[in-house]
Amino acid sequence: VTLREALNNVESGAFAVRMNAASDLATFQRRSAREPAVLTLASCVLDRRAALTVLHAALQLTGERGDFRFEHPHDTALAVYVLVLAGAHPELARVLAEHALSVPRLWWAQRIARTILLGEMWGTDEKAKHFVLGLPIAGPGIDHSSIGVRAQRIVTGLFRPEPRTQSLELTAEPDRRSSSANRREPHLPGERHGSACHHYEVPSVPP
Amino acid sequence: MAAMIVGGDVWPPGRRLALATRQGRDIDNTQREEWPAFRLRAGAELLGRDFPEAELRSLSASYNCFGLAFATRRTCIEPEQLAMILHDDGYRQVADERDVRAGDLALYRRRDGQVEHVAIVLRVDPDVGAARFRFVVLSKWGANGEYVHELRHLPLTSGLEVSVEFYSERRMP
C-alpha cells in the first residue's frame, strides 16, 4: 500500500463508518491502531517528506467545509492525520492541532487536538508558545533542509471564553543549488504561478 | 514559498445540554453535529452487510450509546461519566443473568476496565438447548445508527476482548 493509497483509504466513507462506531476517544484511538491504512501512514510518516505530504493533505481537507448544517465531512481523516503525525513528528502534529481548533464542526479531530495542546501546555509551556521546526511541504526543486516552519500560538484565552487568535506560517526557500528550482510545480491550493505566497484564511468564530 | 494560516477558534466545540444525575450532579455532555442523510444511509448499508441480523431502528449522529441510555437520545456522554451516573441514579449490578429484565443495561467492559459500550436490554429469551439466555438489546453504534441486535453481535471497535455486565435501577418497594 502506497502513501497515496493509504491517504485515499483514510479519507474514504467506509473508513469513516468503521471508525465512527466508536463512542469515545479512547476507543477511536484504539480502533485507528488496528486499521491497515493507519499503520501504513504511521510507518510512512517516519520519513519527513511523507509527514509533510500528510500535513499538506490535512490542511487541504480543512478547507473543504461542506454543508454548514452538518459535521465536517473530513473529521475522521483529520483526526487520524493528527494522530499519526503526533507519533512521529509532534511539532507537525501541533501545527495541525492548532489549525484544527479553528475549523468548525469537527468532532474527533478537535478532541485529539485539544488533548495534544492541553498536554503540551501542562508540559513545556514556553516551548509550546514559540517554536521553530524543521520543514514541511514537498515539491520538486525544494531542498528540504532549507524549509522551516515557524509557528506562534497565543495561548491567552485558551481556557477563557473570549476568542483567541493564532497564526501559522510555513516557509520554504527554494533550493538555490538545484537547477530545477525555477521549474517547480505549484503544490498548494491557491498557489499562483510566479508567487511564493499562499494564504489559508480561517474566519474567526465567536465563542 | 510560504503558507499562512490565521484564525480564531471554537472553545469548547459542540453544544452542551443541561443534564444532571438523579442526585443533581452535572453530567458532562456534548451534542455532536448531525451527518447528512446520504452519509448516514451509506454507513447503514455498510454495517448492514457486516451485521445482517441487526435491525436498524434509527439514523442520527448526534448522540452516542451513552446518550441513548442516559439522555434519551439528546446528546453524547463520555464513558468517564458512567460511574457517577450509575451511582447517583441507583444502578446496581445484576450478577445472575437469570435476573436480567427488559430495560436493564448491558455494559461492555474492556480488559483495561474501561466501559466501551452500553446497550438497553429489550428481551431475554431462554435458549434451552444451549442452557443459557439469549439477550436482544438496543444500542447506538457510535455516530452510526441505532440497532436492535443480539448482545454480542455489534461492531465493537477497540479490538480488545470485552466482558458484558448487566446493571439495573429497578426499584420494587
Side-chain angles (χ1 to χ4, degrees):
Chain A
V1 180
T2 65
L3 174 62
R4 175 43 56 191
E5 287 170 336
L7 290 171
N8 288 341
N9 194 326
V10 165
E11 292 170 22
S12 71
F15 180 84
V17 168
R18 289 196 301 276
M19 293 296 296
N20 279 283
S23 293
D24 64 289
L25 187 55
T27 305
F28 181 90
Q29 288 177 274
R30 283 183 181 280
R31 173 65 201 182
S32 70
R34 289 164 47 83
E35 285 285 337
V38 178
L39 296 177
T40 299
L41 278 184
S43 171
C44 287
V45 299
L46 295 175
D47 173 65
R48 207 165 175 80
R49 287 172 185 252
L52 292 171
T53 301
V54 171
L55 177 61
H56 183 206
L59 291 174
Q60 280 190 309
L61 292 184
T62 61
E64 297 178 29
R65 300 297 171 85
D67 190 325
F68 73 94
R69 295 170 298 173
F70 302 116
E71 188 172 282
H72 195 289
H74 300 297
D75 172 59
T76 306
L78 286 168
V80 167
Y81 292 158
V82 180
L83 278 177
V84 295
L85 288 176
H89 303 281
E91 72 283 2
L92 298 184
R94 197 160 53 222
V95 167
L96 183 53
E98 295 209 11
H99 185 49
L101 287 184
S102 69
V103 177
R105 296 175 284 108
L106 290 175
W107 182 255
W108 300 117
Q110 284 208 353
R111 283 156 182 256
I112 292 167
R114 277 188 294 162
T115 301
I116 288 173
L117 296 175
L118 288 176
E120 174 187 281
M121 282 201 64
W122 293 330
T124 52
D125 195 18
E126 286 308 308
K127 284 182 184 173
K129 290 177 184 172
H130 302 91
F131 48 86
V132 179
L133 310 171
L135 100 72
I137 318 278
I142 302 276
D143 174 10
H144 284 254
S145 65
S146 70
I147 302 174
V149 178
R150 184 162 58 81
Q152 181 177 46
R153 181 151 59 94
I154 304 167
V155 294
T156 306
L158 191 58
F159 293 109
R160 300 174 195 162
E162 68 263 30
R164 69 188 173 91
T165 58
Q166 57 183 348
S167 66
L168 161 66
E169 186 177 0
L170 307 180
T171 60
E173 291 299 324
D175 182 7
R176 304 295 181 199
R177 296 165 296 179
S178 168
S179 60
S180 61
N182 294 327
R183 291 186 280 107
R184 182 176 61 81
E185 295 293 323
H187 276 260
L188 286 171
E191 183 172 13
R192 298 187 300 274
H193 287 278
S195 167
C197 294
H198 313 276
H199 296 277
Y200 293 89
E201 294 295 337
V202 183
S204 292
V205 182
Chain B
M1 181 173 66
M4 175 76 81
I5 299 172
V6 179
D9 78 356
V10 181
W11 191 274
R15 182 164 58 173
R16 188 180 189 282
L17 301 184
L19 193 63
T21 65
R22 191 180 287 171
Q23 293 188 19
R25 284 199 280 180
D26 283 345
I27 300 174
D28 197 16
N29 69 89
T30 314
Q31 208 172 42
R32 188 168 178 169
E33 297 283 350
E34 190 55 274
W35 285 10
F38 76 88
R39 194 174 165 194
L40 288 166
R41 288 197 203 107
E45 192 179 325
L46 285 169
L47 289 169
R49 288 181 209 154
D50 292 339
F51 300 92
E53 300 88 7
E55 179 191 334
L56 177 63
R57 180 190 177 275
S58 181
L59 279 173
S60 169
S62 64
Y63 59 95
N64 64 2
C65 59
F66 302 103
L68 165 66
F70 301 112
T72 52
R73 302 183 177 87
R74 295 191 189 107
T75 186
C76 291
I77 297 173
E78 298 287 327
E80 287 73 19
Q81 304 284 302
L82 202 57
M84 176 185 74
I85 296 171
L86 292 176
H87 174 270
D88 284 10
D89 285 6
Y91 280 90
R92 67 189 184 286
Q93 189 167 0
V94 181
D96 194 329
E97 288 189 353
R98 289 176 298 186
D99 297 328
V100 175
R101 297 288 181 272
D104 291 347
L105 299 182
L107 270 57
Y108 298 72
R109 192 182 296 277
R110 294 196 301 249
R111 278 179 304 180
D112 62 6
Q114 183 71 52
V115 174
E116 180 174 319
H117 188 66
V118 65
I120 301 170
V121 176
L122 294 183
R123 218 169 55 235
V124 186
D125 298 326
D127 185 344
V128 178
R132 63 178 181 84
F133 290 93
R134 177 177 171 270
F135 298 93
V136 177
V137 300
L138 172 70
S139 75
K140 180 70 164 46
W141 294 357
N144 297 296
E146 187 180 310
Y147 289 86
V148 177
H149 59 94
E150 261 206 88
L151 187 66
R152 288 191 175 270
H153 289 187
L154 74 166
L156 290 170
T157 56
S158 72
L160 294 180
E161 195 177 314
V162 295
S163 58
V164 178
E165 300 168 358
F166 293 100
Y167 280 77
S168 180
E169 86 322 327
R170 272 178 282 140
R171 286 179 285 187
M172 295 292 197

